[in-house]
Amino acid sequence: MQATAERANSGFRHTVRVRGHLITVDETLEAGGTDTGPDPQELLAASLASCTAITLEMYAARKGWGVGHVEVDVQYTPAERGTPTRFDLVLRLPAELSDEQAERLCVIAAKCPVHRALDGEVMFRERVERVQLTA
């Protein structure tokens, strides 16, 4: 999987390319951006929320459970001195699911790929490539 961010012409706005998709990412007005898109940390919360919802729906479909509308709300609090990064998830599931189904879906939520990546060991390898920029 690959994503490429390229700076737009103003402020901190970037266009991120993922496969054939373009996503505008920016900073808030308060942070000096133009607020033309979510900021990178909001995208992190959105990635976890959407991956969790999709994982729940895929699992329920395999089990033949008609879950219909699933909603996942993620509140993200970045790490600060002495406190870890925190993700608070609220899974909104249909009331007609049994307690056992709801409990199983709660367990499955923690198995989504983004959740596992955030929960696991992470490694970074950076390198610099110097290129001639054209106008």
Side-chain angles (χ1 to χ4, degrees):
M1 290 177 237
Q2 181 178 351
T4 303
E6 293 181 10
R7 185 166 187 214
N9 292 330
S10 62
F12 297 118
R13 189 177 77 199
H14 283 72
T15 298
V16 178
R17 251 181 293 144
V18 180
R19 293 183 289 124
H21 306 283
L22 299 176
I23 303 166
T24 298
V25 181
D26 199 353
E27 287 291 338
T28 62
L29 296 172
E30 299 79 25
T34 55
D35 200 22
T36 57
D39 72 31
Q41 294 192 69
E42 290 169 325
L43 283 178
L44 182 60
S47 182
L48 179 58
S50 59
C51 186
T52 302
I54 290 168
T55 299
L56 293 176
E57 290 170 358
M58 290 172 79
Y59 180 84
R62 280 196 308 273
K63 291 291 190 178
W65 301 346
V67 295
H69 182 79
V70 169
E71 186 177 311
V72 178
D73 183 54
V74 172
Q75 179 66 42
Y76 166 52
T77 308
E80 294 182 14
R81 286 184 192 217
T83 62
T85 297
R86 182 180 177 123
F87 293 96
D88 293 305
L89 284 78
V90 176
L91 312 177
R92 293 190 182 94
L93 305 171
E96 56 272 6
L97 288 178
S98 70
D99 289 342
E100 293 79 21
Q101 288 171 315
E103 288 173 24
R104 184 66 187 147
L105 289 173
C106 192
V107 169
I108 293 302
K111 297 179 185 292
C112 92
V114 172
H115 190 292
R116 289 193 337 248
L118 292 169
D119 195 35
E121 184 176 346
V122 178
M123 296 173 48
F124 296 90
R125 290 189 300 194
E126 293 90 6
R127 75 173 192 256
V128 174
E129 294 180 358
R130 299 176 63 134
V131 298
Q132 190 69 23
L133 299 178
T134 58

